[in-house]
Amino acid sequence: MTNTENPTARPAETSTARPPAGVIIGLDIGGTKTHGIRFEDGIAVADESAGSSNVQNVTRDEAARNIADLFARIGGGSVSQVYAGSGGIDTDEDAAALASLIQPHVPGARVTVVHDSRLLLAAGHASTGVAVIAGTGSAAWGRNSDGDEARAGGWGYLLGDEGSGYWLGREAVRYSLRQMNQGQPADQLTSALLQSCGVEHPNKLIALFHSPHTGRRFWAQQARHVVEAAAGGHRASQAMLDQAGRDLAGLALQVLDQLRITGPVILGGGLGMNVAPLQESFRRHLESAGVTDVRVLEQEPVFGVLQLVAEPA
């Protein structure tokens, strides 16, 4: 049985019941990887990752292969429910398409697909508030006590993804090209970027950026050079991280305003959970707008699955 939900569907109130019995598989599908956990009577007994199965980032065939790889290691068998969160779940059709890749590995199980930001809020032990994802891409989603939902961003790298890993990677390329145009020598950030990309001059970054052999994940991975350069005192990289925090805070504020709530705001995703300067900027820009309940997620979003499954039907 398949149950597909889009981000505008109205969820039930958070349950305080005991962890659900039986075998439940939680999936967190990001732009870089698919993280899966097998829960048996509420206890995590297997924790595995495979390549991304987000069809916004990979082909449907590659997504299917990566899901098969994950289930081969995490196990299928007698599973009562699969709860999957993924970026790019904007319609019922998006959810149904992803569920159709999962269902063959868990015949008879109920498969629920939601936007991945919903996992993040639940993993932060909140039933209301705003979840902000800063990973390969970026998005904000929230819910108030009336059950109303709102979101901001999550439009994909061509239209948005501000403050994300891809955004930082692209900004590193743009910075290096501006330095080249101004006749400046390669500095700490540009040198690291060139070495990582395997090219010897910034002008070769242009063709590489537009090449079909690189894509969203490749450029998101280059964000680490911005983080490392910022830690080494590189002012332009520090400014990029500050702008990323500002932009992510802006997404959160849009959702808070739509829902007429003041928080909490929970920051997650690979960048959000691990890059302190971005966290500091995020907090600072929210606090300047009067938002004081700002948290950084302390566990992987997939652990929010147990709370979501425990909600009343």
Side-chain angles (χ1 to χ4, degrees):
M1 176 172 60
T2 301
N3 173 36
T4 56
E5 301 180 25
N6 69 33
T8 60
R10 180 185 177 113
E13 292 295 330
T14 302
S15 171
T16 57
R18 296 177 181 176
V23 178
I24 295 168
I25 291 178
L27 302 177
D28 180 19
I29 301 171
T32 303
K33 69 176 182 179
T34 300
H35 183 197
I37 295 185
R38 184 185 185 92
F39 298 98
E40 295 184 1
D41 296 331
I43 305 299
V45 299
D47 186 334
E48 299 286 349
S49 293
S52 176
S53 47
N54 184 327
V55 293
Q56 284 194 340
N57 299 290
V58 299
T59 65
R60 183 176 175 84
D61 286 345
E62 186 176 350
R65 287 194 299 272
N66 288 334
I67 286 175
D69 177 32
L70 181 66
F71 274 98
R73 289 184 280 129
I74 207 169
S78 181
V79 176
S80 59
Q81 184 169 357
V82 176
Y83 208 113
S86 175
I89 303 301
D90 300 314
T91 66
D92 289 335
E93 290 75 19
D94 293 333
L98 179 55
S100 71
L101 299 180
I102 296 169
Q103 194 76 67
H105 301 284
V106 285
R110 181 184 184 189
V111 178
T112 301
V113 176
V114 299
H115 195 275
D116 54 358
S117 50
R118 184 174 294 180
L119 296 184
L120 197 157
L121 190 64
H125 306 296
S127 58
T128 62
V130 176
V132 178
I133 292 176
T136 301
S138 66
W141 173 87
R143 176 176 180 256
N144 64 22
S145 59
D146 293 326
D148 300 323
E149 295 184 17
R151 63 175 290 183
W155 301 336
Y157 70 100
L158 291 176
L159 295 173
D161 277 354
E162 52 267 45
S164 69
Y166 175 85
W167 182 88
L168 282 171
R170 187 190 66 186
E171 289 304 295
V173 172
R174 287 162 55 89
Y175 168 82
S176 298
L177 293 174
R178 285 195 299 269
Q179 291 289 98
M180 176 192 72
N181 286 346
Q182 294 168 8
Q184 300 295 321
D187 60 11
Q188 177 183 356
L189 176 58
T190 299
S191 296
L193 182 63
L194 294 177
Q195 182 176 3
S196 177
C197 293
V199 297
E200 69 277 7
H201 194 276
N203 63 7
K204 294 194 175 181
L205 290 171
I206 301 171
L208 186 65
F209 193 87
H210 295 289
S211 169
H213 302 296
T214 63
R216 186 183 183 208
R217 287 180 294 168
F218 177 87
W219 295 108
Q221 290 167 355
Q222 308 313 313
R224 68 185 187 274
H225 302 305
V226 178
V227 176
E228 291 168 359
H234 189 258
R235 290 188 177 181
S237 294
Q238 292 170 344
M240 290 179 206
L241 292 179
D242 181 68
Q243 185 63 49
R246 180 195 298 269
D247 288 343
L248 293 166
L251 295 179
L253 289 169
Q254 288 181 52
V255 179
L256 290 169
D257 183 63
Q258 290 179 73
L259 296 175
R260 295 180 174 83
I261 58 177
T262 59
V265 176
I266 301 172
L267 178 64
L271 284 176
M273 294 174 68
N274 296 294
V275 180
L278 184 147
Q279 295 169 1
E280 293 164 5
S281 172
F282 182 72
R283 288 182 185 277
R284 185 172 65 256
H285 289 295
L286 284 173
E287 288 172 357
S288 69
V291 180
T292 57
D293 190 354
V294 182
R295 314 171 190 174
V296 175
L297 195 65
E298 295 181 348
Q299 62 178 346
E300 292 295 329
V302 72
F303 284 95
V305 162
L306 290 182
Q307 175 166 316
L308 293 170
V309 170
E311 293 177 350

